[in-house]
Amino acid sequence: MTVSRSHVEAVVHADPSQANQLSALREQIDAVFSGPQAPYLLGPGGERIELPDSAVEALRLAIEMLARGQSIRLVPHDTEVTSQEAADMLSVSRPHLIKLLDRGELPFHRVGTHRRIKIEHVLAYRERRDAERDGALSELTRLSEELPGGYW
């Protein structure tokens, strides 16, 4: 596993040679964390360090993704991203993202001539967009099932 760090983020890459070990760890963590006792770490001197739910969930997600061979990027919530980075996060083209910004669908500010978008706004937009898409697909499914002959 390799970790590269900048001042705002850390990228963790899964080492393919550790795939079996990560899969086993994922299973162990699921078993341990679903037990009746709150999860904790054991320090080098034997001290017990309780883990808050948010840390447990972050650890679960990180191990799940690494076990699947995916890299993960940890980014502080107040980070600002460029328009290209935001477009990449939303899986849209940069020109499309610029249209979203110009229509006011995503707040941004300028640093000189460059646009900067808070990562929290990009993630919130992505959640809203995905929820709207899921709702529309559910409605289409419902309507198609009501048609004569039903949905195949």
Side-chain angles (χ1 to χ4, degrees):
M1 183 176 335
T2 58
V3 179
S4 55
R5 295 175 198 257
S6 72
H7 68 286
V8 295
E9 66 183 58
V11 177
V12 180
H13 304 281
D15 186 337
S17 68
Q18 297 174 335
N20 291 338
Q21 186 180 7
L22 286 165
S23 292
L25 179 59
R26 180 182 53 199
E27 291 172 14
Q28 289 171 330
I29 284 199
D30 285 343
V32 169
F33 287 178
S34 62
Q37 190 174 32
Y40 62 91
L41 295 175
L42 205 52
E47 66 272 13
R48 183 179 163 133
I49 305 164
E50 299 291 329
L51 293 175
D53 291 343
S54 57
V56 170
E57 186 58 26
L59 185 58
R60 275 185 174 162
L61 287 171
I63 291 170
E64 175 68 31
M65 291 177 186
L66 290 171
R68 284 193 251 150
Q70 297 174 325
S71 295
I72 58 173
R73 180 171 62 176
L74 305 173
V75 183
H77 202 259
D78 61 347
T79 299
E80 293 181 343
V81 294
T82 67
S83 55
Q84 184 61 60
E85 290 169 328
D88 292 344
M89 291 175 70
L90 296 172
S91 299
V92 298
S93 68
R94 187 178 167 280
H96 180 72
L97 178 84
I98 298 302
K99 289 177 190 175
L100 295 174
L101 297 175
D102 290 344
R103 289 194 308 238
E105 294 186 37
L106 263 169
F108 71 97
H109 70 279
R110 290 189 182 268
V111 175
T113 59
H114 302 284
R115 295 172 179 90
R116 294 292 182 263
I117 308 111
K118 288 189 175 189
I119 197 164
E120 61 200 66
H121 294 157
V122 176
L123 297 174
Y125 176 84
R126 186 171 68 185
E127 283 183 31
R128 281 193 315 273
R129 180 196 65 187
D130 292 351
E132 288 172 8
R133 180 184 301 154
D134 290 346
L137 287 172
S138 294
E139 179 65 10
L140 281 172
T141 301
R142 186 189 66 75
L143 289 172
S144 67
E145 289 172 347
E146 291 178 359
L147 291 173
Y151 178 74
W152 304 6

